[in-house]
Amino acid sequence: MRLSGGPLAAPFPAAGILRRGVAAHPDAIAMVSLANRWTWRELDAVSDRLAAGYGSLGLRPGDRIASLMPNRGALIIHYIACMKAGLVMVPLNYRYTPPLIDHHLKVSGAAALLAHGERAADIAAGPAAAALSAGVIGVDWDDAQARYEDLIASDAPFVPPAVDPQAPAAIFFTSGSTGEPKGVTHTAQSLGWMFAIAASAFELSTDDVLLPGSSCSHIGGFIFAFAALGAAARLVIARHYDGDEILALLRRERPTVLCMIPAALFAVVRDPGAVAEDFASLRLVRAGADKVPAELEAEFTALTGHVIDEGYGMSEVGLAALNPPSGRIVAGSVGRALAAVEFSLRDDAGNELPADATGNLWIRTPSMMQGYWSNGVATAEVIREGWLDSGDRMAADGDGYLWFRGRKKQIIVHDGSNIFPQEVEEAVEAHPAVALSGVIGIHDLVHGESVRAYVALKPGVPRPTTGELIAAARALIGYKAPEQIEFLDEIPLNPTGKVDRVALKKMAEARHEPA
């Protein structure tokens, strides 16, 4: 069965993402936070100066530049400068621990790192940053090798280089079905298509004000931010995603479009200070990355009068499905195929299935990634004859609305972040008392899934507390560490001798714990 969202005229120009806004209203506000405001003319000029500054550090088109930044206007300016200069963006999750920072700098082959000063000690804890050819560029970090504030103050002219639209432009690290996180690699062209598809899906106009209430280091916040800028709509940057910050921005900036992950939206809705008037300016509220719980739907509608518009996407293709904002929004469905997106429901052998069948979702779109960075084997496993096997199972109704039915992959999605069980197991098993562990996701109303580790101990060793095991894992992998530990005499194995996570899920379900 195939589903198509129809044609879309063209991608947004990644290197010229501000072009439409600068031409339409150069002195209007383009981007705003609670601390700063930039007009379109100012945003264009400061990103030019930063692009020139990156060139003065010896960075050239094709060089990778990682970023370890909280949500700030400086991060968006950095992205714009990279797209103008042909540099390859490598956004790092701001919650990464020192080992993860080092790992991703090495894997990406980064030449430079843009980082906030509050992470200075973590960056210095590993050797990778010291080996960067163009060094560390600090934001609010006076003794960094180079200072962001100095680069944007420079008056050096910026001469845009010739950039191949099919060359790598961004690497987003995401957990896959096997092994360590993989670098999802997008070109300038696939980025432009992602931005244009999202702008079309949200029906953005120059009158819109978009608040992506999530990290712009993650693919969702990144895409939505640039969908707004590419459509010449105003972008609102949230420094944090709690009730204090989001409600203050809703009241002051009066956004028309709000995008949040369910856990964060829960916190805003349940904030004691939240009232219906705070949400009155909105025409669209999009939630995704995790399944939207029915309880959130009910509480949000009761407070605001709005219906949450659920969608579907992934780092490999961007936003791919959404309930049409000006059409029928079906609660529980992740929506319909977007313009320039085609879906195919297939069986495990890759054969297309008839209507009304549940199958594996394959996706074809010009926003598809180029592949996984330096990993042709993993790329070949998911891209076949122009289609990407999402690893997710879906069903479609007669009106083309998709219904999520589970994952072939065993990724755990916690607060919108992908967590690979094997990575958590390795961290838990690093404790000297642990013989073997198995990790699964347990349904969590607020967070989507919580991480649970089943642990078998080595004989004759003192039994550690659950708190000790969690703390030891957290020191290695940070936020990916398990929230729950359960001890077993032995961990179930499948016929090939690997941890049988399916059996662990059945064990949890037998105790009425949805997994």
Side-chain angles (χ1 to χ4, degrees), residues 212-236:
S214 61
S215 172
C216 292
S217 292
H218 296 173
I219 191 74
F222 173 86
I223 292 170
F224 303 150
F226 284 103
L229 292 176
R234 182 180 300 180
L235 172 63
V236 181

Side-chain angles (χ1 to χ4, degrees), residues 235-298:
L235 172 63
V236 181
I237 296 295
R239 299 166 301 176
H240 310 286
Y241 322 116
D242 55 17
D244 287 345
E245 179 89 2
I246 297 298
L247 290 172
L249 289 169
L250 287 170
R251 292 162 185 161
R252 195 183 82 173
E253 300 302 328
R254 308 308 290 168
T256 58
V257 179
L258 173 65
C259 304
M260 297 189 76
I261 64 173
L265 190 56
F266 247 131
V268 172
V269 170
R270 291 177 171 178
D271 188 283
V275 297
E277 174 58 26
D278 296 334
F279 304 86
S281 63
L282 296 171
R283 68 167 179 83
L284 172 64
V285 178
R286 188 268 180 187
D290 294 335
K291 179 66 180 170
V292 176
E295 291 87 343
L296 175 57
E297 291 268 14

Side-chain angles (χ1 to χ4, degrees), residues 466-512:
T466 58
E468 288 170 347
L469 288 179
I470 291 171
R474 189 168 291 137
L476 295 174
I477 56 173
Y479 70 94
K480 301 180 184 183
E483 292 105 344
Q484 305 170 22
I485 300 282
E486 290 207 11
F487 294 98
L488 298 177
D489 292 334
E490 59 181 8
I491 302 297
L493 304 177
N494 63 24
T496 64
K498 297 179 181 179
V499 172
D500 191 344
R501 300 191 189 101
V502 174
L504 293 174
K505 284 183 173 289
K506 289 179 179 178
M507 184 187 303
E509 290 166 356
R511 292 157 49 179
H512 305 290

